[in-house]
Every structure is written in C-alpha cells, then in structure tokens.
Amino acid sequence: KYSHKIGEYESQGDKNSIYSDCGIVYLPKRPYFLCVAIEGQTEEGVNNIIKSISQTIYKYLSDVNKLSGDCTVERKRSFSRTL
C-alpha cells in the first residue's frame, strides 16, 4: 500500500519542467517516506527514473525485513553502490 502526490513546476523563461513524486510506502514493520524531484527529462523519462528508484528502495527494504529488521553496515554500503 502507498499514498503519493505528484507535481510539476514550470519555471517562467525556462523550458525545463521539474517533476516530483512524494509518498509514503506502508511496508510492514518498515514504512518509509520517499520524495524524488527531477529536472531536464521528459515526463515519460521522469516516470521511468522514479519507478526504478522506488523499486530499488522497496526491494532493499523488503530484503532487510526478511533479515529480522537488521541493517548491517555491509548491506548499507552495497545499497549505496547500486544507486
């Protein structure tokens, strides 16, 4: 389950829009908040990037839950390298 809000900011005099998506993901035992803002991409490109970021974080936190909620330093390091 999740709740989210999307947004688009069009600055005057600049053709680049800023797209954002912020939300709460209700992962059992480990809900989290994620907010992503991207500039200089098409709307389709932004959707793909945000989807990839969200899936990576969701998979990581789901795996951490399977390990009894322990988040070791090694797992944190390997996660930061994947982003």
Side-chain angles (χ1 to χ4, degrees):
K1 292 171 79 175
Y2 63 93
S3 301
H4 75 114
K5 174 74 173 138
I6 60 171
E8 178 182 358
Y9 172 75
E10 295 179 24
S11 59
Q12 293 179 350
D14 189 0
K15 294 181 180 181
N16 288 334
S17 292
I18 301 172
Y19 297 94
S20 64
D21 193 346
C22 297
I24 303 168
V25 179
Y26 299 100
L27 188 64
K29 300 181 195 174
R30 200 176 289 275
Y32 62 94
F33 178 80
L34 176 63
C35 190
V36 179
I38 299 173
E39 179 180 19
Q41 295 283 325
T42 65
E43 188 172 356
E44 182 180 349
V46 167
N47 289 337
N48 291 332
I49 293 167
I50 291 173
K51 180 180 178 181
S52 177
I53 291 168
S54 181
Q55 287 175 337
T56 301
I57 292 171
Y58 183 86
K59 182 178 180 334
Y60 173 77
L61 291 175
S62 294
D63 289 347
V64 169
N65 269 351
K66 292 175 189 172
L67 297 172
S68 303
D70 293 334
C71 185
T72 64
V73 172
E74 186 56 40
R75 288 191 57 75
K76 285 183 183 176
R77 286 187 189 136
S78 67
F79 174 70
S80 65
R81 285 191 291 255
T82 62
L83 293 178

